[in-house]
Amino acid sequence: MRHLPLTHPGTAQTRSPGAFLWWLARGQRLTLVGGMLFGIVWMGTQAVMPAVIGRAIDRGVAERDLRALWQYGALMLAIGLLQAGSGIMRHRFAVTNWLTAAYRTVQLVARQTTRLGGSLARQTSTGEVVAIGTTDLSHLGHLMDVMARFAGAVVSFVLVAVILLQTSVTLGLVVLVGVPLLMLLVGPLLSPLQRRSEEQRELMSGLSNTASDIVAGLRVLRGIGGEDVFWRRYRRESQQARVAGVAVARLQSVLDALQVFLPGVFVVVVVWLGARYAVAGEISAGELVAFYGYSAFLMIPLRTATEFANRLIRARVSAQRVTGFLGLQPDHVDAAEVAPSPPVGSDLRDSLSGLHVRAGSLLALVSERPDETAGLADRLGLATPLVDGAPDETVTLGGVPLTRLPLEEVRRRVVVSDTGSSLFSGRLREVVDVHGDGDVDAAVATAAADDVVTSLPEGLDSVVAERGRTFSGGQRQRLVLARALALDPEVLVLVEPTSAVDAHTEAFVAARLRSHRRGRTTVVVTTSPLLLDAVDEVALVRDGRVVASGRHRELLEGDAAYRLTVTREQEQTEEVTR
């Protein structure tokens, strides 16, 4: 599959679903045209076959001309072989078109997901992305699949109409007028079908989101006895989706019935007219047989046309969801004018909070509200939207605002690892060493994850399950820390890196972290005395501002607010004792 542009041309919010479908078709125009050509040949050979059979009856059977009969028999054989060959190629192109449209959509969604990064979860749900990657891409693929047969249906319809006009003007006009009229009769069903399909699509997205939430939090649900609550919620939403699906199926069943009934009525009319002309002697026996053949054949293009309309409606609904997703914008994009890169080993500053992180230092952020320091940590790495009203120059590296640097450079130089970080599936070595050039052994040792690796049957070559679900919470946290350390960025921001481990392991990590990160800047968000005692400087944050800074022991002795924040339990215990 060839590489594609990140999004379709133009701003996704202003592009209609029809424009997206046109862009999708234009991107695979060669295979679409190829499929249409073979579809035209495939259905065209079926259209002319009744005429050849009629001629064989009139000139071969009726006139007892054995030579003519052999000639027409050979012609029918050649047409049959051509029909078989073109049918095979038409099907091959149809499958190619389906796969191309579906997986081009997958590429777009995957690249947009990567582009949005951490802002994805704040702008859309997991279920929406899952629904696009399953249901929507299937509908888009089906539309491209039916294009070849639809082109053949249109051309064969015209071909049959021309043949009938040459035989009987009345029959030709019946075909030319009747087929569009039948399509108009189906038209009133298409708009309600689109509306109900959109409602079902919305409910399916919400149901997928609920299912993913339940799966992700199943262990927690069992711990608090909440399985029944979420089971009832999922059952209620699934029933709503089922009712919406039944509503779509009702209209779909009517449309499917009309695909058989209307062409059937039309065929009866054509056969009845042809029989009358044959009885009146206006057409020959061979022409009557040909009319019967045309009547049976016309069922195919008529059903294909209604199928195309149905596929188009569903594809438009899916295209609307895809364009909506592609229209989402990340929290940060590359500036129009990029500033020169600051030198390696520059200070990191946040003007909003007054934080100053000296190059090469190990600094800890402390607050009585963990979400406050976690938000500051995200801001240091442009992992969250800017605060409303805050200038773009809030966070600077070496005096250069991060928003003026290429986003790729910011992600490479400043890495934020928070408590929500997950493990991906794959070999453990590749999971820990993302770029393949890190010191995995040193990172694992610093994160005190040696026992995790040695407990696995194949060590670092063992396969990690999805989201690392086979590991305990503490094991996952240590492996996430090892992954962040293996990246070895210029600035590393760690949010509560040891909150799920015991005191002994935490003391070991605190002792090794300084030496591992020597010469590089490290910011740790924590209230753990073991970690705080190992850092160079501690910054106390209150109401979004740094109100005190210094060594851990100095702040313990000289700042009551800091002492209460770090040793809250001990203070409360002493108060109760008194």
Side-chain angles (χ1 to χ4, degrees), residues 6-7 105-121 123-126 128-130 132-133 325-326 328-330 424:
L6 184 60
T7 57
T105 305
V106 170
Q107 286 181 340
L108 288 174
V109 172
R111 294 182 186 183
Q112 174 71 344
T113 301
T114 304
R115 176 172 175 259
L116 293 173
S119 64
L120 173 64
Q123 300 190 53
T124 189
S125 64
T126 303
E128 177 70 11
V129 181
V130 171
I132 290 175
F325 179 75
L326 295 178
L328 301 177
Q329 294 298 319
F424 295 97

Side-chain angles (χ1 to χ4, degrees), residues 165-211:
L165 281 172
Q166 292 178 347
T167 306
S168 170
V169 176
T170 303
L171 289 175
L173 291 176
V174 167
V175 174
L176 287 174
V177 176
V179 172
L181 182 62
L182 291 179
M183 295 302 300
L184 290 177
L185 293 177
V186 176
L189 292 176
L190 300 181
S191 180
L193 180 62
Q194 178 174 354
R195 185 178 64 255
R196 294 187 184 184
S197 296
E198 290 175 350
E199 295 173 356
Q200 183 198 21
R201 171 64 178 75
E202 189 70 30
L203 291 173
M204 289 299 296
S205 174
L207 186 63
S208 298
N209 192 51
T210 301

Side-chain angles (χ1 to χ4, degrees), residues 154-446:
V154 172
V155 173
S156 62
F157 157 70
V158 175
L159 183 60
V160 169
V162 170
I163 295 175
L164 290 178
L165 281 172
Q166 292 178 347
T167 306
S168 170
V169 176
T170 303
L171 289 175
L173 291 176
V174 167
V175 174
L176 287 174
V177 176
V179 172
L181 182 62
L182 291 179
M183 295 302 300
L184 290 177
L185 293 177
V186 176
L189 292 176
L190 300 181
S191 180
L193 180 62
Q194 178 174 354
R195 185 178 64 255
R196 294 187 184 184
S197 296
E198 290 175 350
E199 295 173 356
Q200 183 198 21
R201 171 64 178 75
E202 189 70 30
L203 291 173
M204 289 299 296
S205 174
L207 186 63
S208 298
N209 192 51
T210 301
S212 63
D213 287 344
I214 293 175
V215 172
L218 187 58
R219 182 178 298 180
V220 177
L221 290 176
R222 287 179 174 174
I224 62 176
E227 303 102 315
D228 290 340
V229 175
F230 274 82
W231 175 76
R232 287 193 294 270
R233 175 184 170 188
Y234 182 83
R235 183 178 182 180
R236 181 176 64 254
E237 293 183 6
S238 66
Q239 289 302 310
Q240 292 174 349
R242 181 188 64 80
V243 171
V246 170
V248 173
R250 287 196 184 101
L251 277 179
Q252 185 65 54
S253 63
V254 174
L255 183 61
D256 291 342
L258 290 178
Q259 288 179 354
V260 177
F261 176 74
L262 293 179
V265 172
F266 181 73
V267 166
V268 169
V269 172
V270 173
V271 171
W272 179 73
L273 289 174
R276 290 194 60 184
Y277 288 144
V279 171
E282 298 181 13
I283 60 176
S284 64
E287 290 173 333
L288 177 61
V289 172
F291 277 127
Y292 278 104
Y294 292 136
S295 301
F297 168 75
L298 284 174
M299 294 279 290
I300 300 176
L302 290 176
R303 294 194 64 177
T304 302
T306 53
E307 179 187 356
F308 173 78
N310 184 21
R311 299 293 190 192
L312 180 61
I313 289 296
R314 291 179 176 269
R316 283 181 60 86
V317 174
S318 296
Q320 185 174 1
R321 309 299 299 192
V322 174
T323 52
F325 179 75
L326 295 178
L328 301 177
Q329 294 298 319
D331 297 331
H332 303 279
V333 295
D334 289 340
E337 296 182 5
V338 179
S341 299
V344 176
S346 299
D347 289 1
L348 183 68
R349 295 177 181 269
D350 175 55
S351 61
L352 200 62
S353 64
L355 177 66
H356 177 200
V357 185
R358 294 172 179 81
S361 65
L362 178 57
L363 180 141
L365 294 176
V366 176
S367 175
E368 62 180 4
R369 294 187 299 170
D371 58 332
E372 189 174 44
T373 45
L376 174 56
D378 286 340
R379 192 163 71 241
L380 292 177
L382 293 186
T384 188
L386 293 175
V387 179
D388 292 339
D392 292 343
E393 295 78 13
T394 298
V395 182
T396 60
L397 181 64
V400 179
L402 292 185
T403 53
R404 295 287 305 281
L405 295 174
L407 194 59
E408 185 276 332
E409 180 181 352
V410 175
R411 295 286 179 258
R412 175 172 48 84
R413 299 182 67 172
V414 184
V415 172
V416 179
S417 178
D418 58 22
T419 54
S421 299
S422 301
L423 294 174
F424 295 97
S425 58
R427 293 174 61 245
L428 182 57
R429 185 183 301 277
E430 297 171 352
V431 170
V432 174
D433 187 10
V434 178
H435 296 306
D437 56 0
D439 190 344
V440 180
D441 294 332
V444 169
T446 301

